[in-house]
Coordinates of all heavy atoms in Angstrom, one line a residue:
A190 N -53.5 19.1 -188.8 CA -53.3 17.7 -189.0 C -53.7 17.3 -190.4 O -54.7 17.8 -190.9 CB -54.1 16.9 -188.0
N191 N -52.8 16.6 -191.0 CA -53.1 16.1 -192.4 C -52.8 14.6 -192.4 O -51.6 14.3 -192.5 CB -52.3 16.9 -193.4 CG -52.8 16.6 -194.8 OD1 -53.9 16.2 -195.1 ND2 -51.9 16.8 -195.8
D192 N -53.8 13.8 -192.4 CA -53.7 12.3 -192.5 C -52.7 11.8 -191.4 O -51.8 11.0 -191.7 CB -53.3 11.9 -193.9 CG -54.3 12.1 -194.9 OD1 -55.5 11.9 -194.5 OD2 -54.0 12.3 -196.1
G193 N -52.9 12.3 -190.2 CA -52.1 11.8 -189.1 C -50.7 12.5 -188.9 O -50.0 12.1 -188.0
V194 N -50.4 13.5 -189.7 CA -49.1 14.2 -189.6 C -49.5 15.6 -188.9 O -50.3 16.3 -189.5 CB -48.4 14.4 -190.9 CG1 -47.2 15.3 -190.7 CG2 -48.1 13.1 -191.5
F195 N -48.9 15.8 -187.8 CA -49.3 17.0 -187.0 C -48.3 18.1 -187.0 O -47.1 17.8 -187.0 CB -49.5 16.6 -185.5 CG -50.7 15.6 -185.3 CD1 -50.4 14.3 -185.4 CD2 -52.0 16.1 -185.1 CE1 -51.5 13.4 -185.2 CE2 -53.0 15.2 -185.0 CZ -52.8 13.8 -185.0
R196 N -48.8 19.3 -187.1 CA -47.9 20.5 -187.1 C -48.5 21.5 -186.2 O -49.7 21.7 -186.3 CB -47.8 21.1 -188.5 CG -47.0 20.2 -189.5 CD -47.1 20.7 -190.9 NE -46.2 20.0 -191.8 CZ -46.5 18.9 -192.4 NH1 -47.7 18.3 -192.2 NH2 -45.7 18.3 -193.2
R197 N -47.7 22.1 -185.4 CA -48.2 23.2 -184.5 C -48.3 24.5 -185.3 O -47.4 24.9 -185.9 CB -47.2 23.3 -183.3 CG -47.6 24.4 -182.4 CD -48.1 23.9 -181.1 NE -48.5 25.0 -180.2 CZ -47.8 25.3 -179.1 NH1 -46.8 24.6 -178.8 NH2 -48.2 26.3 -178.4
Y198 N -49.5 25.1 -185.2 CA -49.7 26.4 -185.9 C -49.3 27.5 -184.9 O -49.7 27.6 -183.8 CB -51.2 26.5 -186.2 CG -51.5 27.9 -186.8 CD1 -51.2 28.1 -188.2 CD2 -52.1 28.9 -186.1 CE1 -51.5 29.4 -188.7 CE2 -52.4 30.1 -186.6 CZ -52.1 30.4 -187.9 OH -52.4 31.6 -188.5
R199 N -48.4 28.3 -185.4 CA -47.9 29.4 -184.6 C -48.1 30.8 -185.2 O -47.5 31.8 -184.8 CB -46.4 29.2 -184.3 CG -46.1 27.9 -183.5 CD -44.6 27.8 -183.2 NE -44.3 26.5 -182.7 CZ -44.3 26.2 -181.4 NH1 -44.7 27.1 -180.5 NH2 -44.0 25.0 -181.0
G200 N -48.9 30.8 -186.2 CA -49.2 32.1 -186.9 C -50.2 33.0 -186.2 O -50.7 32.7 -185.1
S201 N -50.5 34.0 -186.9 CA -51.5 35.0 -186.4 C -52.9 34.3 -186.3 O -53.2 33.4 -187.1 CB -51.6 36.2 -187.4 OG -52.7 37.0 -187.1
R202 N -53.7 34.8 -185.5 CA -55.0 34.2 -185.3 C -56.1 35.0 -185.9 O -57.2 35.0 -185.3 CB -55.2 33.9 -183.8 CG -54.2 32.9 -183.3 CD -54.2 32.6 -181.9 NE -53.2 31.6 -181.6 CZ -52.6 31.5 -180.4 NH1 -52.9 32.3 -179.4 NH2 -51.7 30.6 -180.2
T203 N -55.8 35.6 -187.0 CA -56.9 36.3 -187.7 C -57.5 35.3 -188.7 O -56.9 34.3 -189.1 CB -56.4 37.5 -188.5 OG1 -55.5 37.1 -189.5 CG2 -55.7 38.5 -187.5
L204 N -58.8 35.6 -189.1 CA -59.5 34.7 -190.0 C -58.7 34.6 -191.3 O -58.5 33.5 -191.9 CB -60.9 35.2 -190.3 CG -61.7 34.4 -191.2 CD1 -61.9 33.0 -190.7 CD2 -63.1 35.1 -191.4
E205 N -58.2 35.7 -191.8 CA -57.4 35.7 -193.1 C -56.2 34.9 -193.0 O -55.9 34.1 -194.0 CB -57.1 37.2 -193.5 CG -58.2 38.1 -193.8 CD -59.0 38.6 -192.5 OE1 -58.4 38.6 -191.4 OE2 -60.2 38.8 -192.6
D206 N -55.5 35.0 -191.9 CA -54.2 34.2 -191.8 C -54.5 32.7 -191.6 O -53.8 31.9 -192.2 CB -53.4 34.7 -190.6 CG -52.7 36.0 -190.9 OD1 -52.5 36.3 -192.1 OD2 -52.4 36.8 -190.0
L207 N -55.6 32.4 -190.9 CA -55.9 30.9 -190.8 C -56.3 30.4 -192.1 O -55.9 29.3 -192.5 CB -57.1 30.8 -189.8 CG -56.7 31.0 -188.3 CD1 -58.0 31.2 -187.4 CD2 -55.9 29.9 -187.8
Q208 N -57.1 31.1 -192.9 CA -57.5 30.7 -194.2 C -56.3 30.6 -195.1 O -56.2 29.6 -195.9 CB -58.6 31.6 -194.8 CG -59.9 31.5 -194.1 CD -60.9 32.6 -194.6 OE1 -60.5 33.6 -195.2 NE2 -62.2 32.3 -194.4
G209 N -55.4 31.6 -195.1 CA -54.2 31.6 -195.9 C -53.3 30.4 -195.6 O -52.7 29.8 -196.5
Y210 N -53.3 30.0 -194.4 CA -52.4 28.9 -193.9 C -52.9 27.6 -194.7 O -52.0 26.8 -195.1 CB -52.6 28.7 -192.4 CG -51.7 27.7 -191.8 CD1 -50.3 27.9 -191.6 CD2 -52.1 26.4 -191.4 CE1 -49.5 27.0 -191.0 CE2 -51.3 25.5 -190.8 CZ -50.0 25.8 -190.6 OH -49.1 24.9 -190.0
I211 N -54.2 27.5 -194.9 CA -54.7 26.3 -195.6 C -54.7 26.5 -197.1 O -54.1 25.6 -197.8 CB -56.2 26.0 -195.1 CG1 -56.2 25.7 -193.6 CG2 -56.8 24.9 -196.0 CD1 -55.4 24.5 -193.2
L212 N -55.2 27.6 -197.6 CA -55.3 27.8 -199.0 C -53.9 27.9 -199.7 O -53.8 27.4 -200.8 CB -56.1 29.1 -199.3 CG -57.6 29.1 -199.0 CD1 -58.2 30.4 -199.2 CD2 -58.3 28.0 -199.9
E213 N -53.0 28.5 -199.1 CA -51.6 28.7 -199.6 C -50.7 27.5 -199.2 O -49.5 27.6 -199.5 CB -51.1 30.0 -199.2 CG -51.9 31.2 -199.7 CD -51.5 32.5 -199.1 OE1 -50.3 32.6 -198.6 OE2 -52.3 33.4 -199.0
R214 N -51.3 26.6 -198.5 CA -50.5 25.4 -198.1 C -49.2 25.7 -197.3 O -48.2 25.1 -197.4 CB -50.2 24.5 -199.3 CG -51.5 24.0 -200.0 CD -51.2 23.1 -201.2 NE -50.7 21.8 -200.8 CZ -51.4 20.7 -200.6 NH1 -52.7 20.8 -200.7 NH2 -50.8 19.6 -200.3
K215 N -49.4 26.8 -196.5 CA -48.2 27.2 -195.7 C -47.8 26.1 -194.7 O -46.7 26.1 -194.2 CB -48.6 28.5 -194.9 CG -48.7 29.7 -195.9 CD -49.1 30.9 -195.1 CE -49.2 32.1 -196.0 NZ -49.6 33.3 -195.3
W216 N -48.7 25.2 -194.3 CA -48.4 24.2 -193.4 C -47.3 23.2 -193.9 O -46.6 22.6 -193.1 CB -49.7 23.4 -193.0 CG -50.5 22.9 -194.2 CD1 -51.5 23.5 -194.9 CD2 -50.3 21.6 -194.8 NE1 -51.9 22.7 -195.9 CE2 -51.2 21.5 -195.9 CE3 -49.4 20.5 -194.7 CZ2 -51.3 20.4 -196.7 CZ3 -49.5 19.4 -195.5 CH2 -50.5 19.4 -196.5

């Protein structure tokens, strides 16, 4: 969620992938 805009995360559930989703703005 980013300021009330929701996206379903369907990626891998490893720590690296979760961090990459945020750091690389994959969302």
Side-chain angles (χ1 to χ4, degrees):
N191 190 27
D192 292 327
V194 177
F195 296 90
R196 292 170 171 85
R197 176 107 182 251
Y198 176 79
R199 297 182 189 272
S201 170
R202 294 176 179 153
T203 64
L204 180 58
E205 296 76 26
D206 286 336
L207 289 165
Q208 290 173 339
Y210 188 75
I211 299 301
L212 290 172
E213 299 167 25
R214 301 179 68 92
K215 292 179 181 177
W216 53 270

